[in-house]
Amino acid sequence: MGTDEDDSALFTLGSHDVAPRPSSARTLLRQGVAAIVLVVAALVSLWVLPALLTDGPVQSEDTVLPVDGRPHTAEASAERESMIWFDETRVEPDCEIRDAASGDVLTTTTADGNDRRVLSRTGAWVGAATFSPTSDSVEVTCSEAPGFVLVSQAPGQSAGLVAIGAIILVPLTLGLAGLVLVVAVATALVQARAARRA
């Protein structure tokens, strides 16, 4: 039969709360590395995605024409709207576009200037106007000025929206996931330090 002192000791021992076991160092290390990788991936995607999801300077189906006051022929498609681009580092030329087969002047619609394609480190092709070809080629005559213009198919609106969405959402998602892991690791470290001091 135990004494009152023994019973008191047992009661006191049983009444202590068991401190929560802190996350292992290996788990925290893995979470920390994952957080760093996600943050780095978010930063890299901010640089890589715009280059991958937007058109480059010149595509194989594009036609680059000199701006020299003389008519030049460019390939086109009667099934899809086309666009004429100018070099933003040069003065925008006045251009007349005719159907190469009929000679009819094609109506152009001034673009909003939001369509851009990387040209160099200092400039870009900027969409100047759209037009609807009536045959498989057009004749472009631009006022004489230094530089060139580009004729290509007009960028699709849905494709542009998808590209913009990806450029915004992918880095944002990666960055938020990395931030959540950073907060989780920091919280676990604080709890582990508090448990050791208790």
Side-chain angles (χ1 to χ4, degrees):
M1 183 173 179
T3 64
D4 292 342
E5 183 177 351
D6 292 337
D7 292 340
S8 177
L10 289 172
F11 177 80
T12 302
L13 180 62
S15 64
H16 279 305
D17 293 329
V18 177
R21 184 179 181 181
S23 300
S24 67
R26 184 174 299 177
T27 299
L28 290 178
L29 179 61
R30 285 199 298 264
Q31 291 177 343
V33 170
I36 294 173
V37 169
L38 286 171
V39 172
V40 171
L43 295 175
V44 171
S45 65
L46 282 173
W47 176 70
V48 172
L49 284 178
L52 293 178
L53 298 178
T54 57
D55 290 332
V58 180
Q59 305 297 311
S60 59
E61 67 275 12
D62 300 341
T63 305
V64 178
L65 304 173
V67 179
D68 56 9
R70 291 182 291 181
H72 297 276
T73 302
E75 293 183 0
S77 172
E79 299 178 354
R80 183 173 176 181
E81 191 176 47
S82 295
M83 174 172 276
I84 184 167
W85 310 68
F86 70 93
D87 181 353
E88 70 173 355
T89 63
R90 307 278 186 174
V91 176
E92 181 179 353
D94 293 323
C95 297
E96 181 183 72
I97 304 173
R98 294 178 177 269
D99 178 68
S102 65
D104 295 337
V105 176
L106 300 178
T107 301
T108 59
T109 302
T110 303
D112 56 15
N114 291 329
D115 294 304
R116 300 171 63 85
R117 296 167 65 169
V118 177
L119 175 60
S120 65
R121 293 182 179 179
T122 58
W125 290 115
V126 178
T130 57
F131 59 93
S132 299
T134 54
S135 67
D136 60 359
S137 62
V138 294
E139 189 178 81
V140 181
T141 306
C142 296
S143 57
E144 187 171 354
F148 298 85
V149 293
L150 174 73
V151 176
S152 75
Q153 291 185 341
Q157 183 177 11
S158 59
L161 292 177
V162 170
I164 292 173
I167 291 171
I168 294 174
L169 292 178
V170 171
L172 182 62
T173 302
L174 292 172
L176 287 176
L179 181 61
V180 168
L181 275 178
V182 169
V183 172
V185 171
T187 301
L189 289 174
V190 170
Q191 290 176 344
R193 181 173 297 180
R196 286 195 299 269
R197 290 179 177 178

